[in-house]
Amino acid sequence: MSVWSAEYSTLEFSKVSAVQPRIRAAGLAGIEEKLRAGERLTFDDGMRLFAAPDLLAVGWLANREREKRHGARTYFNYNLRLEPTNVCQASCLFCSFARLQPGMPEAYTMSLEQAWDKLRQRASQPLTELHIVNGLNPDLPFSYYTDLLRGFKRIRPTIHLKCFTAVEIAFFADLYGMSDEQILRELRDAGLDSLPGGGAEIFAERVRRKICHDKCDADRYLSIHRIAHGMGLRTNVTMLYGHIETMAERVDHMLRARALQDETAGFQAFIPLAFHPDNNQMRKLPAPTGTDTLRVHAVSRLMLDNIPHIKAFWIATGVELAQTALWFGVDDLDGTVQEEKIYHMAGSSTPEGMTTAALTRLVRVAGREPIERDTLYNVVRTFEGEPVSA
Ligand code: SF4
């Protein structure tokens, strides 16, 4: 039997009777019944899942929901991350990436040619996506961003441009005197294909006031995603966990994302992002533990019944935990990434990129089936029959 056959995962792990005593002992029998009946979980259910002492019982439930939707399939894409400027006028306490002023040590802004070169240099790579986020740089004209997108499309017309968080869109609108919708339309006309989910942090006002008081609030973040969905753009949504947020604020965050998804169905993936404490103003806090990371991903799968994919961003979780999370509700591992600065400036010790061979090996030795996808989850390549690389 192949190590990643779908039968193995679904047959062995869908027998509820074998785990029933464990689920009962963890106080999760009611939740298990609801899930089996296809009923939606409530805020209180979310709290119970975070409080349940038995992580494996929570993980089992999440895995069943994962396998209902995706079987053993595990998605990743061939992407490149670019951060053309880290100059930022905001002062988020958890951020190790932003350097506030041009000229400060490590502050940088790429020229358009420098940014375009990053793509030109990869002419031989089968890239399908460019993922671009930036600091909130007050010194650039709006044309920098529209020219950036147009240039990338000129260099490679088929590349999918997933660019600019909702926080950046709000910043552009305020700086350049346009509405959020106008900004999105102009960027779309220049080549924007979808939005990444960054900038959501934790939606609760209490937390935002403390850790990111000078960027757009949760309502505007969600409103920008609503507008983008209305224009036919797909987006993702993130949650920064493991700092000062409470469990109730995590569940509230998930429910707010779920409510917008009920309206628009425009989110493709929910991405819990682990807080990293190095080189930022919250460095006294510990990083989230491995069990917390597994639980956050599992609870996300269980609460977000209407968002198709739960992604473990391996740069944030660490490679090994991302792999383990494939049994805790996760069906997506982001992608090859290649150049990552935001988490590495915060102390991430993962590589800055992974090859397709490394990603597929990671998935297959975990007993899952790797699928290379494009940004919109169309299948680019399957690996059935190919040997597992060493
Ligand atoms: S998280 Fe984003 S908006 Fe906040 S300081 Fe860092 S780069 Fe700026």
Side-chain angles (χ1 to χ4, degrees), residues 157-373:
T158 56
I159 198 87
H160 182 109
L161 296 178
K162 184 172 82 180
C163 310
F164 314 124
T165 65
V167 169
E168 289 172 82
I169 301 296
F171 169 74
F172 295 157
D174 295 346
L175 184 66
Y176 306 120
M178 288 188 257
S179 69
D180 296 342
E181 183 165 355
Q182 275 175 308
I183 292 286
L184 282 168
R185 284 194 189 289
E186 297 224 3
L187 291 172
R188 188 186 60 179
D189 292 348
L192 179 74
D193 293 305
S194 65
L195 295 187
E201 321 315 355
I202 285 281
F203 290 144
E205 230 3 81
R206 180 195 77 85
V207 180
R208 293 186 90 80
R209 265 200 309 274
K210 288 190 175 154
I211 69 170
C212 56
H213 69 96
D214 52 2
K215 68 184 187 189
C216 86
D217 66 12
D219 285 343
R220 191 154 177 208
Y221 174 98
L222 290 165
S223 154
I224 287 168
H225 282 267
R226 183 182 290 109
I227 295 166
H229 296 169
M231 290 167 53
L233 299 173
R234 290 285 169 265
T235 74
N236 292 331
V237 52
T238 60
M239 178 178 80
L240 184 74
Y241 68 91
H243 43 93
I244 61 165
E245 85 285 5
T246 63
M247 297 305 121
E249 284 160 344
R250 289 182 184 180
V251 178
D252 169 71
H253 185 100
M254 292 176 191
L255 295 190
R256 292 181 74 172
R258 188 172 82 179
L260 178 56
Q261 183 73 344
D262 279 343
E263 266 182 58
T264 64
F267 289 130
Q268 300 198 106
F270 184 80
I271 313 161
L273 293 174
F275 163 68
H276 272 235
D278 288 2
N279 305 320
N280 59 48
Q281 295 177 67
M282 294 169 84
R283 57 186 163 268
K284 288 201 174 120
L285 295 180
T289 61
T291 53
D292 193 24
T293 287
L294 293 174
R295 188 184 295 264
V296 168
H297 287 80
V299 176
S300 304
R301 178 63 287 160
L302 292 167
M303 297 304 295
L304 296 165
D305 53 9
N306 56 0
I307 297 185
H309 302 281
I310 303 296
K311 182 188 289 192
F313 182 39
W314 57 267
I315 297 256
T317 60
V319 174
E320 292 81 3
L321 266 182
Q323 182 188 37
T324 311
L326 299 180
W327 291 94
F328 285 76
V330 166
D331 66 280
D332 191 293
L333 286 180
D334 198 82
T336 52
V337 180
Q338 304 194 66
E339 284 199 23
E340 202 283 336
K341 292 198 170 55
I342 294 173
Y343 268 92
H344 285 86
M345 290 172 94
S348 171
S349 57
T350 66
E352 277 195 50
M354 260 204 273
T355 61
T356 298
L359 273 164
T360 56
R361 178 175 181 278
L362 201 69
V363 173
R364 292 168 87 174
V365 299
R368 297 304 204 187
E369 177 189 355
I371 307 276
E372 185 188 334
R373 60 165 174 85

Side-chain angles (χ1 to χ4, degrees), residues 44-59:
D44 288 343
D45 293 329
M47 292 298 285
R48 202 161 295 132
L49 288 164
F50 273 117
D54 189 339
L55 173 64
L56 288 184
V58 177

Side-chain angles (χ1 to χ4, degrees), residues 88 90-92 94-95 97-98 134-136 167 201 215:
C88 186
S91 54
C92 306
F94 55 84
C95 182
F97 168 71
N134 295 293
L136 309 181
V167 169
E201 321 315 355
K215 68 184 187 189

